[in-house]
Amino acid sequence: MDLYAAVAAALAGRGLELAAPLCVPAYDAAVAEALRLPRLGRAAPLALVVGNTRALWPRFLAARRAEPDPLDRFVEREVAAALADAAPGIARAVRFAHDAPVTVAIQRAAAIAGLAHLSASHLSVHPTYGPWIALRAVIVLDADGLTEAPPPLPPPCVCATGCGPAFAAALAAGVPSGEAELRERWRLWLAVRDACPVGRAHRYGEAQLRYHYTKDPAALG
Ligand code: B12
């Protein structure tokens, strides 16, 4: 198995089952300087965009510890463990989607890697799972990677109205300045995701939904 396949399999075994190879030069050309990725001394290092579906939730609940932002910490531990298993001794740099301040434009990375289309409502839409995915990290490894990006995914938009009206309604209440404001109006933003007909069978369960939009610890049971 090559290094990419070994790392992707190790991540999938830990609940991070979405991955795609990322062409770092193409990503770097698309983002502001502060969001560029480390090259680890190579022109085009091996890089993966990593995400998950709702399948992560039961694994997370089973492994969760009492700590602030437990899902983010869980993701950090699982990525570290997968890399220790599948890429021991290989230099790496990891950029998490939850890093604050933001270190990676992960939706652009997912689009460039052909993992998920970036829709007009700012949701990343996977061909199978629709918008019911989370994007977690970009991993850069000290090995050779893609020098060219694959052709972009065709837009998966299959409906006439799409997410437009729900997005307009959410915008009318104002773009949340951050998580606190998102919490106040989260049902409006949930409606944007629910408007997408792609991947409806993969919608998150109620507790997972509530936690993602509100970070309400009560949703952890
Ligand atoms: C900041 C942020 C937000 C802010 C965005 C405010 C803003 N004006 O940028 C707020 C709080 C509004 C927000 C809301 C939500 N977010 Co958000 N967010 C992020 C975060 C942490 C950083 C975005 C960023 O600055 N990127 C860097 C800049 C430079 O990239 P950019 O390409 O120039 O701009 C992107 C974003 O800024 C965003 N954006 C820009 N302008 C606007 C305007 C509006 C109205 C919105 C909603 C977004 C938005 O879209 C751009 C394309 O990627 C990302 C994770 C990440 N590291 O990217 C998650 C992320 C984009 N969010 C995500 C999600 C799921 C949501 C929510 C659905 C709530 C939730 N947590 O479940 C809501 C509603 C979004 C929707 N479209 O329905 C997911 C997307 C997954 C997917 N399938 O699409 C991400 C990838 C996090 C993750 N772990 O998966 N988010």
Side-chain angles (χ1 to χ4, degrees):
M1 205 178 344
D2 68 11
L3 182 60
Y4 170 80
V7 172
L11 291 162
R14 294 176 173 278
L16 295 163
E17 81 272 43
L18 298 180
L22 173 67
C23 172
V24 173
Y27 167 85
D28 280 356
V31 301
E33 205 175 334
L35 297 175
R36 289 189 189 144
L37 292 167
R39 301 274 182 110
L40 304 178
R42 292 174 187 266
L46 181 62
L48 298 84
V49 188
V50 179
N52 65 272
T53 68
R54 67 178 183 177
L56 184 81
W57 190 248
R59 284 175 173 270
F60 159 61
L61 289 184
R64 152 179 90 89
R65 302 179 191 168
E67 58 193 344
D69 295 321
L71 182 53
D72 296 344
R73 302 290 86 78
F74 171 79
V75 166
E76 288 168 8
R77 283 194 291 271
E78 296 305 308
V79 167
L83 290 174
D85 287 349
I90 296 178
R92 82 278 311 257
V94 185
R95 298 286 180 264
F96 289 100
H98 59 256
D99 288 340
V102 174
T103 58
V104 59
I106 202 151
Q107 294 183 291
R108 294 218 211 157
I112 290 167
L115 182 65
H117 174 79
L118 185 51
S119 76
S121 60
H122 295 282
L123 283 170
S124 297
V125 180
H126 184 276
T128 302
Y129 300 105
W132 300 107
I133 62 166
L135 300 167
R136 296 296 173 192
V138 171
I139 299 170
V140 184
L141 294 168
D142 186 12
D144 282 334
L146 296 180
T147 52
E148 275 179 49
L153 283 180
C157 306
V158 291
C159 52
T161 53
C163 45
F167 186 52
L171 282 183
V175 177
S177 59
E179 285 175 359
E181 275 185 43
L182 177 64
R183 210 169 292 142
E184 288 166 21
R185 301 193 283 280
W186 72 279
R187 292 278 173 191
L188 277 174
W189 289 100
L190 175 59
V192 181
R193 224 167 184 174
D194 273 333
C196 182
V198 184
R200 274 199 180 132
H202 302 279
R203 187 181 194 264
Y204 294 170
E206 198 55 35
Q208 187 174 6
L209 276 177
R210 182 173 289 275
Y211 184 74
H212 279 76
Y213 285 79
T214 67
K215 293 228 171 139
D216 178 359
L220 300 174

CSV table of all heavy atoms in Angstrom, one decimal, residues 134-199:
chain,number,residue,atom,x,y,z
A,134,ALA,N,-18.4,17.0,7.6
A,134,ALA,CA,-17.5,18.0,8.3
A,134,ALA,C,-16.1,17.8,7.7
A,134,ALA,O,-15.7,16.7,7.3
A,134,ALA,CB,-17.5,17.8,9.8
A,135,LEU,N,-15.4,18.9,7.6
A,135,LEU,CA,-14.1,18.9,7.1
A,135,LEU,C,-13.2,19.2,8.3
A,135,LEU,O,-13.4,20.1,9.0
A,135,LEU,CB,-13.9,20.0,6.0
A,135,LEU,CG,-14.8,19.8,4.8
A,135,LEU,CD1,-14.8,21.0,3.9
A,135,LEU,CD2,-14.4,18.6,4.0
A,136,ARG,N,-12.2,18.4,8.5
A,136,ARG,CA,-11.5,18.4,9.8
A,136,ARG,C,-10.1,18.9,9.7
A,136,ARG,O,-9.6,19.5,10.6
A,136,ARG,CB,-11.5,17.0,10.4
A,136,ARG,CG,-12.9,16.5,10.8
A,136,ARG,CD,-13.5,17.3,11.9
A,136,ARG,NE,-14.9,16.9,12.1
A,136,ARG,CZ,-15.7,17.7,12.9
A,136,ARG,NH1,-15.3,18.8,13.4
A,136,ARG,NH2,-16.9,17.3,13.0
A,137,ALA,N,-9.3,18.5,8.7
A,137,ALA,CA,-7.9,18.8,8.7
A,137,ALA,C,-7.3,18.6,7.3
A,137,ALA,O,-7.8,18.0,6.5
A,137,ALA,CB,-7.2,17.8,9.7
A,138,VAL,N,-6.2,19.3,7.1
A,138,VAL,CA,-5.3,19.0,6.0
A,138,VAL,C,-4.0,18.6,6.6
A,138,VAL,O,-3.4,19.2,7.5
A,138,VAL,CB,-5.1,20.3,5.1
A,138,VAL,CG1,-4.0,20.0,4.1
A,138,VAL,CG2,-6.4,20.7,4.4
A,139,ILE,N,-3.5,17.4,6.1
A,139,ILE,CA,-2.3,16.8,6.6
A,139,ILE,C,-1.3,16.9,5.5
A,139,ILE,O,-1.6,16.5,4.3
A,139,ILE,CB,-2.5,15.3,7.0
A,139,ILE,CG1,-3.6,15.2,8.1
A,139,ILE,CG2,-1.2,14.7,7.3
A,139,ILE,CD1,-4.0,13.7,8.3
A,140,VAL,N,-0.1,17.4,5.8
A,140,VAL,CA,1.0,17.5,4.8
A,140,VAL,C,2.1,16.6,5.3
A,140,VAL,O,2.5,16.6,6.4
A,140,VAL,CB,1.6,18.9,4.7
A,140,VAL,CG1,2.6,19.0,3.6
A,140,VAL,CG2,0.5,19.9,4.4
A,141,LEU,N,2.6,15.7,4.4
A,141,LEU,CA,3.6,14.7,4.7
A,141,LEU,C,4.8,14.9,3.9
A,141,LEU,O,4.8,15.3,2.7
A,141,LEU,CB,3.1,13.3,4.5
A,141,LEU,CG,1.9,12.9,5.4
A,141,LEU,CD1,1.3,11.6,4.9
A,141,LEU,CD2,2.4,12.7,6.9
A,142,ASP,N,6.0,14.5,4.5
A,142,ASP,CA,7.3,14.7,3.8
A,142,ASP,C,7.4,13.5,2.8
A,142,ASP,O,8.2,12.6,3.0
A,142,ASP,CB,8.4,14.7,4.8
A,142,ASP,CG,9.7,15.0,4.2
A,142,ASP,OD1,9.8,15.4,3.0
A,142,ASP,OD2,10.8,14.8,4.9
A,143,ALA,N,6.7,13.6,1.7
A,143,ALA,CA,6.8,12.7,0.6
A,143,ALA,C,6.2,13.4,-0.6
A,143,ALA,O,5.6,14.5,-0.5
A,143,ALA,CB,5.9,11.4,0.9
A,144,ASP,N,6.5,12.9,-1.8
A,144,ASP,CA,6.0,13.6,-3.0
A,144,ASP,C,4.5,13.4,-3.2
A,144,ASP,O,4.0,12.3,-3.0
A,144,ASP,CB,6.8,13.1,-4.3
A,144,ASP,CG,8.2,13.7,-4.3
A,144,ASP,OD1,8.4,14.8,-3.8
A,144,ASP,OD2,9.1,13.1,-4.9
A,145,GLY,N,3.9,14.5,-3.6
A,145,GLY,CA,2.4,14.5,-3.8
A,145,GLY,C,2.0,15.0,-5.2
A,145,GLY,O,2.9,15.1,-6.1
A,146,LEU,N,0.8,15.4,-5.3
A,146,LEU,CA,0.2,15.8,-6.6
A,146,LEU,C,0.9,17.1,-7.1
A,146,LEU,O,1.0,18.1,-6.3
A,146,LEU,CB,-1.3,16.0,-6.5
A,146,LEU,CG,-2.1,14.8,-6.2
A,146,LEU,CD1,-3.6,15.2,-6.2
A,146,LEU,CD2,-1.9,13.7,-7.3
A,147,THR,N,1.2,17.2,-8.4
A,147,THR,CA,1.8,18.4,-8.9
A,147,THR,C,0.6,19.2,-9.7
A,147,THR,O,0.8,20.3,-10.0
A,147,THR,CB,2.9,18.2,-9.9
A,147,THR,OG1,2.5,17.2,-10.8
A,147,THR,CG2,4.1,17.6,-9.1
A,148,GLU,N,-0.5,18.5,-10.0
A,148,GLU,CA,-1.6,19.1,-10.6
A,148,GLU,C,-2.9,18.7,-10.0
A,148,GLU,O,-3.0,17.6,-9.5
A,148,GLU,CB,-1.7,18.7,-12.1
A,148,GLU,CG,-0.8,19.4,-13.0
A,148,GLU,CD,-0.9,18.9,-14.5
A,148,GLU,OE1,-2.0,18.7,-15.0
A,148,GLU,OE2,0.2,18.7,-15.0
A,149,ALA,N,-3.8,19.7,-9.9
A,149,ALA,CA,-5.1,19.3,-9.3
A,149,ALA,C,-6.0,18.6,-10.3
A,149,ALA,O,-5.9,18.8,-11.5
A,149,ALA,CB,-5.8,20.6,-8.9
A,150,PRO,N,-6.9,17.7,-9.8
A,150,PRO,CA,-7.8,17.0,-10.7
A,150,PRO,C,-8.8,18.0,-11.3
A,150,PRO,O,-9.0,19.1,-10.7
A,150,PRO,CB,-8.5,16.0,-9.8
A,150,PRO,CG,-8.4,16.6,-8.4
A,150,PRO,CD,-7.1,17.4,-8.4
A,151,PRO,N,-9.5,17.7,-12.3
A,151,PRO,CA,-10.6,18.6,-12.8
A,151,PRO,C,-11.6,18.8,-11.7
A,151,PRO,O,-11.9,17.9,-11.0
A,151,PRO,CB,-11.2,17.9,-14.0
A,151,PRO,CG,-10.6,16.5,-14.0
A,151,PRO,CD,-9.5,16.4,-13.1
A,152,PRO,N,-12.2,20.0,-11.6
A,152,PRO,CA,-13.2,20.3,-10.6
A,152,PRO,C,-14.4,19.4,-10.7
A,152,PRO,O,-14.8,19.0,-11.8
A,152,PRO,CB,-13.6,21.7,-10.8
A,152,PRO,CG,-12.9,22.2,-12.0
A,152,PRO,CD,-12.0,21.2,-12.5
A,153,LEU,N,-15.0,19.0,-9.5
A,153,LEU,CA,-16.2,18.2,-9.5
A,153,LEU,C,-17.3,19.0,-10.3
A,153,LEU,O,-17.4,20.2,-10.1
A,153,LEU,CB,-16.7,18.0,-8.1
A,153,LEU,CG,-16.0,17.0,-7.2
A,153,LEU,CD1,-16.6,16.9,-5.9
A,153,LEU,CD2,-16.0,15.6,-7.9
A,154,PRO,N,-18.2,18.3,-11.0
A,154,PRO,CA,-19.3,19.0,-11.6
A,154,PRO,C,-20.2,19.5,-10.4
A,154,PRO,O,-20.4,18.7,-9.4
A,154,PRO,CB,-20.0,18.0,-12.4
A,154,PRO,CG,-19.5,16.7,-12.0
A,154,PRO,CD,-18.1,16.9,-11.4
A,155,PRO,N,-20.9,20.6,-10.5
A,155,PRO,CA,-21.7,21.1,-9.4
A,155,PRO,C,-22.8,20.0,-9.2
A,155,PRO,O,-23.4,19.5,-10.2
A,155,PRO,CB,-22.4,22.4,-9.9
A,155,PRO,CG,-21.4,22.8,-11.0
A,155,PRO,CD,-20.8,21.6,-11.6
A,156,PRO,N,-23.1,19.6,-8.0
A,156,PRO,CA,-24.1,18.6,-7.7
A,156,PRO,C,-25.5,19.1,-7.7
A,156,PRO,O,-26.4,18.4,-7.4
A,156,PRO,CB,-23.7,18.0,-6.4
A,156,PRO,CG,-23.1,19.2,-5.7
A,156,PRO,CD,-22.4,20.0,-6.7
A,157,CYS,N,-25.7,20.4,-8.0
A,157,CYS,CA,-27.0,21.1,-7.8
A,157,CYS,C,-28.0,20.5,-8.8
A,157,CYS,O,-27.8,20.7,-10.0
A,157,CYS,CB,-26.8,22.6,-8.0
A,157,CYS,SG,-25.6,23.2,-6.8
A,158,VAL,N,-29.0,19.8,-8.2
A,158,VAL,CA,-29.9,19.1,-9.1
A,158,VAL,C,-31.3,19.6,-9.0
A,158,VAL,O,-32.2,19.2,-9.7
A,158,VAL,CB,-29.9,17.6,-8.7
A,158,VAL,CG1,-28.6,16.9,-9.1
A,158,VAL,CG2,-30.2,17.4,-7.2
A,159,CYS,N,-31.5,20.6,-8.2
A,159,CYS,CA,-32.9,21.1,-8.0
A,159,CYS,C,-33.0,22.5,-8.6
A,159,CYS,O,-32.0,23.2,-8.8
A,159,CYS,CB,-33.3,21.1,-6.5
A,159,CYS,SG,-32.1,21.9,-5.5
A,160,ALA,N,-34.3,22.9,-8.8
A,160,ALA,CA,-34.5,24.2,-9.4
A,160,ALA,C,-34.2,25.4,-8.5
A,160,ALA,O,-33.5,26.3,-8.9
A,160,ALA,CB,-36.0,24.3,-9.9
A,161,THR,N,-34.7,25.3,-7.3
A,161,THR,CA,-34.5,26.5,-6.4
A,161,THR,C,-33.2,26.3,-5.5
A,161,THR,O,-32.6,27.3,-5.2
A,161,THR,CB,-35.7,26.7,-5.5
A,161,THR,OG1,-35.9,25.4,-4.8
A,161,THR,CG2,-36.9,27.1,-6.2
A,162,GLY,N,-32.9,25.1,-5.2
A,162,GLY,CA,-31.7,24.8,-4.4
A,162,GLY,C,-31.8,25.5,-3.0
A,162,GLY,O,-32.9,25.7,-2.5
A,163,CYS,N,-30.6,25.8,-2.5
A,163,CYS,CA,-30.5,26.4,-1.2
A,163,CYS,C,-30.8,27.9,-1.2
A,163,CYS,O,-30.7,28.5,-0.1
A,163,CYS,CB,-29.2,26.0,-0.6
A,163,CYS,SG,-27.8,26.3,-1.8
A,164,GLY,N,-31.0,28.5,-2.4
A,164,GLY,CA,-31.1,29.9,-2.5
A,164,GLY,C,-32.0,30.6,-1.5
A,164,GLY,O,-31.6,31.5,-0.8
A,165,PRO,N,-33.3,30.2,-1.5
A,165,PRO,CA,-34.3,30.9,-0.6
A,165,PRO,C,-33.9,30.7,0.8
A,165,PRO,O,-34.0,31.7,1.6
A,165,PRO,CB,-35.6,30.2,-1.0
A,165,PRO,CG,-35.5,29.7,-2.4
A,165,PRO,CD,-34.0,29.3,-2.5
A,166,ALA,N,-33.5,29.5,1.3
A,166,ALA,CA,-33.2,29.3,2.7
A,166,ALA,C,-31.9,30.2,3.0
A,166,ALA,O,-31.9,30.7,4.1
A,166,ALA,CB,-33.0,27.9,3.0
A,167,PHE,N,-31.0,30.2,2.1
A,167,PHE,CA,-29.8,31.0,2.3
A,167,PHE,C,-30.1,32.5,2.5
A,167,PHE,O,-29.7,33.2,3.4
A,167,PHE,CB,-28.8,30.8,1.2
A,167,PHE,CG,-27.4,31.4,1.4
A,167,PHE,CD1,-26.7,31.2,2.6
A,167,PHE,CD2,-26.8,32.2,0.5
A,167,PHE,CE1,-25.5,31.8,2.8
A,167,PHE,CE2,-25.6,32.8,0.6
A,167,PHE,CZ,-24.9,32.6,1.8
A,168,ALA,N,-31.0,33.0,1.6
A,168,ALA,CA,-31.4,34.4,1.6
A,168,ALA,C,-32.1,34.7,2.9
A,168,ALA,O,-31.9,35.7,3.6
A,168,ALA,CB,-32.4,34.7,0.4
A,169,ALA,N,-33.0,33.7,3.4
A,169,ALA,CA,-33.7,33.9,4.7
A,169,ALA,C,-32.7,34.0,5.9
A,169,ALA,O,-32.8,34.9,6.8
A,169,ALA,CB,-34.7,32.8,4.9
A,170,ALA,N,-31.7,33.1,5.8
A,170,ALA,CA,-30.7,33.2,6.9
A,170,ALA,C,-29.9,34.4,6.9
A,170,ALA,O,-29.6,35.1,7.9
A,170,ALA,CB,-29.8,31.9,6.8
A,171,LEU,N,-29.5,34.8,5.6
A,171,LEU,CA,-28.7,36.1,5.5
A,171,LEU,C,-29.5,37.3,5.9
A,171,LEU,O,-28.9,38.3,6.5
A,171,LEU,CB,-28.3,36.3,4.0
A,171,LEU,CG,-27.2,35.5,3.5
A,171,LEU,CD1,-26.9,35.9,2.0
A,171,LEU,CD2,-25.9,35.7,4.3
A,172,ALA,N,-30.8,37.3,5.7
A,172,ALA,CA,-31.7,38.4,6.1
A,172,ALA,C,-31.6,38.7,7.6
A,172,ALA,O,-31.7,39.8,8.0
A,172,ALA,CB,-33.1,38.2,5.7
A,173,ALA,N,-31.3,37.6,8.4
A,173,ALA,CA,-31.2,37.8,9.8
A,173,ALA,C,-29.8,38.2,10.2
A,173,ALA,O,-29.5,38.4,11.4
A,173,ALA,CB,-31.6,36.5,10.5
A,174,GLY,N,-28.9,38.3,9.2
A,174,GLY,CA,-27.5,38.7,9.4
A,174,GLY,C,-26.6,37.6,9.5
A,174,GLY,O,-26.9,36.5,10.0
A,175,VAL,N,-25.4,37.8,8.9
A,175,VAL,CA,-24.3,36.7,8.9
A,175,VAL,C,-23.8,36.7,10.4
A,175,VAL,O,-23.4,37.7,10.9
A,175,VAL,CB,-23.1,37.1,8.0
A,175,VAL,CG1,-22.0,36.0,8.1
A,175,VAL,CG2,-23.6,37.2,6.6
A,176,PRO,N,-23.8,35.5,11.0
A,176,PRO,CA,-23.4,35.5,12.4
A,176,PRO,C,-21.9,35.9,12.5
A,176,PRO,O,-21.1,35.5,11.6
A,176,PRO,CB,-23.5,34.0,12.8
A,176,PRO,CG,-24.4,33.4,11.7
A,176,PRO,CD,-24.2,34.2,10.5
A,177,SER,N,-21.6,36.7,13.5
A,177,SER,CA,-20.2,37.2,13.6
A,177,SER,C,-19.3,36.1,14.2
A,177,SER,O,-18.1,36.1,14.1
A,177,SER,CB,-20.1,38.4,14.5
A,177,SER,OG,-20.6,38.1,15.8
A,178,GLY,N,-19.9,35.1,14.7
A,178,GLY,CA,-19.2,33.9,15.3
A,178,GLY,C,-20.2,32.9,15.9
A,178,GLY,O,-21.4,33.0,15.6
A,179,GLU,N,-19.6,32.0,16.7
A,179,GLU,CA,-20.4,30.9,17.1
A,179,GLU,C,-21.6,31.4,18.1
A,179,GLU,O,-22.6,30.8,18.1
A,179,GLU,CB,-19.5,29.9,17.9
A,179,GLU,CG,-18.7,29.0,16.9
A,179,GLU,CD,-17.8,28.1,17.6
A,179,GLU,OE1,-17.7,28.1,18.8
A,179,GLU,OE2,-17.1,27.4,16.8
A,180,ALA,N,-21.3,32.4,18.8
A,180,ALA,CA,-22.4,32.9,19.8
A,180,ALA,C,-23.6,33.3,19.0
A,180,ALA,O,-24.7,32.9,19.3
A,180,ALA,CB,-21.8,34.0,20.6
A,181,GLU,N,-23.4,34.1,17.9
A,181,GLU,CA,-24.6,34.5,17.1
A,181,GLU,C,-25.2,33.4,16.3
A,181,GLU,O,-26.4,33.4,16.1
A,181,GLU,CB,-24.2,35.7,16.2
A,181,GLU,CG,-24.2,37.0,16.9
A,181,GLU,CD,-23.9,38.2,16.0
A,181,GLU,OE1,-24.4,38.2,14.8
A,181,GLU,OE2,-23.1,39.0,16.4
A,182,LEU,N,-24.3,32.5,15.9
A,182,LEU,CA,-24.9,31.3,15.1
A,182,LEU,C,-25.8,30.6,16.0
A,182,LEU,O,-26.9,30.1,15.6
A,182,LEU,CB,-23.7,30.4,14.7
A,182,LEU,CG,-24.0,29.1,14.0
A,182,LEU,CD1,-24.7,29.4,12.7
A,182,LEU,CD2,-22.8,28.3,13.8
A,183,ARG,N,-25.5,30.4,17.3
A,183,ARG,CA,-26.3,29.7,18.3
A,183,ARG,C,-27.7,30.3,18.4
A,183,ARG,O,-28.7,29.6,18.5
A,183,ARG,CB,-25.6,29.8,19.6
A,183,ARG,CG,-25.8,28.7,20.6
A,183,ARG,CD,-24.9,28.8,21.8
A,183,ARG,NE,-23.5,28.5,21.4
A,183,ARG,CZ,-22.4,29.2,21.9
A,183,ARG,NH1,-22.6,30.1,22.8
A,183,ARG,NH2,-21.2,29.0,21.5
A,184,GLU,N,-27.8,31.6,18.3
A,184,GLU,CA,-29.1,32.3,18.4
A,184,GLU,C,-30.0,31.9,17.2
A,184,GLU,O,-31.2,31.9,17.4
A,184,GLU,CB,-29.0,33.8,18.5
A,184,GLU,CG,-28.4,34.3,19.8
A,184,GLU,CD,-27.9,35.8,19.6
A,184,GLU,OE1,-28.4,36.5,18.7
A,184,GLU,OE2,-27.1,36.2,20.4
A,185,ARG,N,-29.4,31.7,16.1
A,185,ARG,CA,-30.2,31.6,14.9
A,185,ARG,C,-30.0,30.3,14.1
A,185,ARG,O,-30.1,30.2,12.9
A,185,ARG,CB,-29.9,32.7,13.9
A,185,ARG,CG,-30.1,34.1,14.4
A,185,ARG,CD,-30.1,35.1,13.3
A,185,ARG,NE,-28.8,35.5,12.9
A,185,ARG,CZ,-28.0,36.3,13.5
A,185,ARG,NH1,-28.3,36.9,14.7
A,185,ARG,NH2,-26.8,36.6,13.0
A,186,TRP,N,-29.6,29.2,14.9
A,186,TRP,CA,-29.0,28.1,14.2
A,186,TRP,C,-30.1,27.3,13.4
A,186,TRP,O,-29.7,26.7,12.4
A,186,TRP,CB,-28.3,27.1,15.2
A,186,TRP,CG,-29.2,26.3,16.2
A,186,TRP,CD1,-29.7,26.8,17.3
A,186,TRP,CD2,-29.5,25.0,16.0
A,186,TRP,NE1,-30.3,25.8,18.0
A,186,TRP,CE2,-30.3,24.6,17.2
A,186,TRP,CE3,-29.3,24.0,15.1
A,186,TRP,CZ2,-30.8,23.4,17.4
A,186,TRP,CZ3,-29.8,22.7,15.3
A,186,TRP,CH2,-30.6,22.4,16.5
A,187,ARG,N,-31.4,27.4,13.8
A,187,ARG,CA,-32.4,26.7,12.9
A,187,ARG,C,-32.5,27.3,11.5
A,187,ARG,O,-32.7,26.6,10.6
A,187,ARG,CB,-33.7,26.7,13.6
A,187,ARG,CG,-33.8,25.9,14.9
A,187,ARG,CD,-34.0,24.4,14.6
A,187,ARG,NE,-33.9,23.6,15.8
A,187,ARG,CZ,-33.9,22.3,15.8
A,187,ARG,NH1,-34.0,21.6,14.7
A,187,ARG,NH2,-33.8,21.6,16.9
A,188,LEU,N,-32.2,28.6,11.4
A,188,LEU,CA,-32.2,29.2,10.1
A,188,LEU,C,-31.1,28.7,9.2
A,188,LEU,O,-31.2,28.5,8.0
A,188,LEU,CB,-32.0,30.8,10.2
A,188,LEU,CG,-33.3,31.6,10.5
A,188,LEU,CD1,-32.8,33.0,10.8
A,188,LEU,CD2,-34.2,31.5,9.4
A,189,TRP,N,-29.9,28.5,9.9
A,189,TRP,CA,-28.8,27.9,9.1
A,189,TRP,C,-28.9,26.4,8.8
A,189,TRP,O,-28.5,25.9,7.8
A,189,TRP,CB,-27.5,28.3,9.8
A,189,TRP,CG,-27.2,29.7,9.7
A,189,TRP,CD1,-27.4,30.7,10.6
A,189,TRP,CD2,-26.7,30.4,8.5
A,189,TRP,NE1,-27.1,31.9,10.1
A,189,TRP,CE2,-26.7,31.8,8.8
A,189,TRP,CE3,-26.3,30.0,7.3
A,189,TRP,CZ2,-26.2,32.7,7.9
A,189,TRP,CZ3,-25.9,30.9,6.3
A,189,TRP,CH2,-25.9,32.3,6.7
A,190,LEU,N,-29.6,25.8,9.7
A,190,LEU,CA,-29.9,24.3,9.5
A,190,LEU,C,-30.8,24.2,8.3
A,190,LEU,O,-30.7,23.3,7.5
A,190,LEU,CB,-30.6,23.7,10.8
A,190,LEU,CG,-31.0,22.3,10.6
A,190,LEU,CD1,-29.9,21.3,10.2
A,190,LEU,CD2,-31.7,21.8,11.9
A,191,ALA,N,-31.8,25.2,8.1
A,191,ALA,CA,-32.7,25.1,7.0
A,191,ALA,C,-31.9,25.2,5.7
A,191,ALA,O,-32.3,24.6,4.7
A,191,ALA,CB,-33.7,26.2,7.1
A,192,VAL,N,-30.8,25.9,5.7
A,192,VAL,CA,-30.0,26.0,4.4
A,192,VAL,C,-29.4,24.6,4.1
A,192,VAL,O,-29.5,24.2,2.9
A,192,VAL,CB,-28.8,27.0,4.6
A,192,VAL,CG1,-28.0,27.1,3.4
A,192,VAL,CG2,-29.3,28.4,5.1
A,193,ARG,N,-29.0,23.9,5.1
A,193,ARG,CA,-28.4,22.6,4.8
A,193,ARG,C,-29.6,21.6,4.4
A,193,ARG,O,-29.4,20.8,3.5
A,193,ARG,CB,-27.8,22.1,6.1
A,193,ARG,CG,-26.4,21.4,5.9
A,193,ARG,CD,-25.8,21.2,7.2
A,193,ARG,NE,-24.4,20.7,7.1
A,193,ARG,CZ,-23.6,20.6,8.1
A,193,ARG,NH1,-24.0,21.0,9.3
A,193,ARG,NH2,-22.4,20.1,8.0
A,194,ASP,N,-30.7,21.7,5.1
A,194,ASP,CA,-31.8,20.8,4.8
A,194,ASP,C,-32.4,21.1,3.4
A,194,ASP,O,-33.1,20.2,2.9
A,194,ASP,CB,-32.9,21.0,5.9
A,194,ASP,CG,-32.7,20.2,7.1
A,194,ASP,OD1,-32.1,19.1,7.0
A,194,ASP,OD2,-33.2,20.5,8.2
A,195,ALA,N,-32.1,22.3,2.9
A,195,ALA,CA,-32.7,22.6,1.5
A,195,ALA,C,-32.0,21.8,0.4
A,195,ALA,O,-32.5,21.6,-0.7
A,195,ALA,CB,-32.6,24.1,1.3
A,196,CYS,N,-30.8,21.3,0.7
A,196,CYS,CA,-30.0,20.6,-0.3
A,196,CYS,C,-30.6,19.1,-0.4
A,196,CYS,O,-30.7,18.4,0.5
A,196,CYS,CB,-28.6,20.5,0.1
A,196,CYS,SG,-27.5,19.7,-1.2
A,197,PRO,N,-31.0,18.8,-1.7
A,197,PRO,CA,-31.5,17.4,-1.9
A,197,PRO,C,-30.5,16.3,-1.9
A,197,PRO,O,-30.8,15.2,-1.8
A,197,PRO,CB,-32.3,17.5,-3.2
A,197,PRO,CG,-31.6,18.6,-3.9
A,197,PRO,CD,-31.0,19.6,-2.9
A,198,VAL,N,-29.2,16.7,-2.0
A,198,VAL,CA,-28.2,15.7,-2.2
A,198,VAL,C,-27.8,15.1,-0.8
A,198,VAL,O,-27.6,15.9,0.2
A,198,VAL,CB,-26.9,16.3,-2.8
A,198,VAL,CG1,-25.8,15.2,-3.0
A,198,VAL,CG2,-27.2,17.0,-4.1
A,199,GLY,N,-27.8,13.8,-0.7
A,199,GLY,CA,-27.3,13.1,0.5
A,199,GLY,C,-28.3,13.2,1.7
A,199,GLY,O,-27.8,13.1,2.9
